[in-house]
Amino acid sequence: MSFIVLACALVAIDGDTLRCGEETIRLLGIDAPELPGHCREGRDCAPGDPFAAKAALQVAAKGDATVERIGKDVYSRTLARVRVNGIDLSCSQMAGGHAIYKPDWDQFQLVATGCDLASEARPMRQPSPRTRSGPAARSTPSVSTGWSYRNCAEARRAGAAPLRRGTPGYGPHMDGDGDGIACEPVRR
């Protein structure tokens, strides 16, 4: 692991990736919503507004940056913890509701420890109505239960799927067809 104070301006590529000159830096341990056309078929992408996530990261990335390089990912991006003005950007993105924690992507549990995450099942903030997209946002009113699972994989691991609208853990971001049942088995 190496620490370095950056001598370049950080530029947000999306909600979890930065560019510093020629170097692309992927924030460790988090996943932010994908920009349109970037969520590959079959992937369980993070919910939320990708443009708000990118804008929040761009604002948070202004100042004196320190990078703790951990390694490289399969796309040859630098995996790192980045602190700007002493604030960990992975923690900042999660605290603002712009990213979710991915324990499998958190080598050595650095983000879990650094962001003081109590557990993998930490609830995610409900997205605000103006940031929702898709059929569920257009056709059904929001019923807030106070929290929701980050995604269907998390709900299934907890043994809670399928989830019905109005029950704890339900979130419209997991109800792709807007029928009020999230994380239902795929019918073929």
Side-chain angles (χ1 to χ4, degrees), residues 132-142 165 170-180:
R132 287 193 189 112
S133 62
R138 290 188 297 273
S139 62
T140 59
S142 171
R165 187 181 299 122
Y170 172 88
H173 62 279
M174 298 182 296
D175 186 1
D177 59 4
D179 67 352

Side-chain angles (χ1 to χ4, degrees), residues 30 51 68 114 147 152:
I30 65 168
F51 299 104
E68 178 183 354
W147 68 275
C152 288

Side-chain angles (χ1 to χ4, degrees), residues 17 26 30 32 52 55 70 115 136 150 159 187:
T17 308
R26 179 67 162 76
I30 65 168
I70 307 300
C115 299
R150 292 183 191 120
R187 295 185 187 114

Side-chain angles (χ1 to χ4, degrees), residues 32-77:
E34 298 295 333
L35 292 167
H38 290 234
C39 187
R40 293 182 315 275
E41 189 173 329
R43 181 169 175 233
D44 195 11
C45 293
D49 182 342
F51 299 104
K54 179 180 177 180
L57 184 58
Q58 187 61 55
V59 169
K62 293 189 184 312
D64 296 326
T66 305
V67 176
E68 178 183 354
R69 289 176 174 80
I70 307 300
K72 297 273 187 178
D73 68 7
V74 296
Y75 303 106
S76 296
R77 299 175 296 189

